[in-house]
Amino acid sequence: MKTLKEQISIWQEQKIRRADGNQRWYKDEGEFSPWAPSVTTILSVLDKGIGYDKWLGNSTSYESACDYRDLRAGIGTTVHNHAEDYNNGLEVNIDPPDEEVAKYMMSYERWYKDMIDKHISIEASEIKLYHPKLPFSGTFDMVTSYTFKDKLCIDLVDIKTGDYRKSHELQLTAYAMLWNKVFPDYPVSNIYGLYLKSGWKKEPNYTFKKLKLEPELVLNACNLWSWMHTSARGVSPGPRTPKVYDYKFKRAEDMIGVVDEYTL
């Protein structure tokens, strides 16, 4: 049996296609492989809670709320990219300087060193997962490994720059279900949310929260999302092909003579 690193390396050589837009979809290169929506696309069917509703209602406008949401999402993406570089041994240069991002990264560095002290290895980062027999797909942040009682344990970790939400349980469970299909020799032992902090005063800190595996709830969410997005004619959802428009217009020379002839 190949080692975990060898299997991950072989898997990452495959081409997983991605279609973006209002939704995100993945598929492999198989001619008859179906497109699968991303885990986060599926989980958009869940209610975000009263806290979100109050925040949205108290915003000066929907547009300003969206601008702030996109700003926070951008910070999260930046932290994820820096964490991936850090895992790969690259120098992380926060440019332009941003104190909040720097404090998130200092918290991440603290967590990373704590894992090394506990003899926990980070095997890979940002792995695209797709399996034709599962109705969802996606990219998760990290997989770690360690030995416990002579057994190799595999944990999936997702980085968060916000607070814990119950939907995180389903998100990580979906990634674990995908992982177990793609890497059946190395099944997932646990799933964790790594909640980085940026508001600390004295020293970097984080919350490393073990989450509960909820495979039945994931499939329920998939069924509900699919039902919500199936058209009245029964057409199942799928990635949209953007329309192609002409952006250059010029009167053809051969049309000029025709127009002049009829004009005369």
Side-chain angles (χ1 to χ4, degrees):
M1 184 172 71
K2 296 184 182 299
T3 66
L4 176 58
K5 282 190 177 296
E6 289 172 338
Q7 290 197 20
I8 291 175
S9 178
I10 293 171
W11 171 256
Q12 290 183 317
E13 290 177 359
Q14 300 188 48
K15 290 184 178 180
I16 303 297
R17 297 172 59 189
R18 194 177 91 179
D20 290 333
N22 292 333
Q23 301 167 342
R24 180 168 290 176
W25 297 75
Y26 294 83
K27 77 179 298 293
D28 63 18
E29 291 296 292
E31 182 179 356
F32 301 105
S33 296
W35 284 96
S38 71
V39 172
T40 50
T41 295
I42 289 289
L43 296 183
S44 66
V45 76
L46 300 179
D47 180 61
K48 293 180 172 59
I50 187 64
Y52 176 83
D53 292 340
K54 286 183 176 180
W55 168 77
L56 188 60
N58 291 331
S59 298
T60 56
S61 69
Y62 179 74
E63 289 74 16
S64 64
C66 290
D67 288 343
Y68 181 76
R69 176 203 63 193
D70 294 344
L71 172 65
R72 301 310 304 171
I75 291 174
T77 298
T78 298
V79 172
H80 276 75
N81 292 338
H82 287 330
E84 182 181 10
D85 288 343
Y86 187 91
N87 292 345
N88 292 330
L90 302 176
E91 181 181 43
V92 174
N93 181 22
I94 301 174
D95 185 25
D98 187 307
E99 180 179 330
E100 183 179 11
V101 173
K103 294 179 81 171
Y104 276 131
M105 282 307 301
M106 292 171 73
S107 295
Y108 180 76
E109 185 176 48
R110 172 75 176 270
W111 172 83
Y112 187 96
K113 291 179 177 178
D114 287 347
M115 294 302 102
I116 297 301
D117 290 343
K118 295 177 182 178
H119 305 287
I120 296 176
S121 302
I122 297 176
E123 298 290 345
S125 302
E126 296 294 324
I127 300 179
K128 292 184 179 71
L129 293 178
Y130 170 89
H131 195 278
K133 292 187 177 181
L134 284 177
F136 49 83
S137 55
T139 304
F140 74 96
D141 291 339
M142 286 182 290
V143 57
T144 66
S145 69
Y146 56 95
T147 301
F148 180 70
K149 294 183 178 180
D150 298 324
K151 177 187 175 183
L152 181 65
C153 297
I154 304 298
D155 292 348
L156 300 188
V157 180
D158 207 60
I159 299 172
K160 302 295 182 185
T161 53
D163 296 328
Y164 163 79
R165 295 203 305 266
K166 292 188 74 173
S167 62
H168 298 165
E169 313 259 356
L170 302 192
Q171 182 184 7
L172 268 293
T173 297
Y175 293 146
M177 295 167 70
L178 284 161
W179 174 276
N180 289 342
K181 283 288 189 182
V182 175
F183 302 104
D185 296 331
Y186 298 94
V188 170
S189 302
N190 302 291
I191 54 176
Y192 286 90
L194 171 57
Y195 299 89
L196 302 177
K197 309 298 181 183
S198 65
W200 48 268
K201 301 298 183 183
K202 293 183 179 180
E203 60 182 19
N205 64 77
Y206 60 86
T207 298
F208 195 44
K209 183 178 178 64
K210 183 178 179 180
L211 306 179
K212 184 179 179 182
L213 289 160
E214 298 279 10
E216 286 190 22
L217 291 179
V218 169
L219 295 178
N220 289 342
C222 285
N223 290 334
L224 180 58
W225 181 88
S226 180
W227 175 78
M228 287 284 291
H229 290 83
T230 297
S231 73
R233 297 182 178 181
V235 178
S236 299
R240 295 180 179 178
T241 302
K243 293 182 178 180
V244 179
Y245 297 96
D246 289 329
Y247 292 99
K248 292 183 179 180
F249 301 90
K250 183 179 180 180
R251 186 179 176 187
E253 293 297 327
D254 58 341
M255 289 296 296
I256 296 176
V258 174
V259 173
D260 291 345
E261 179 181 347
Y262 282 100
T263 301
L264 296 172

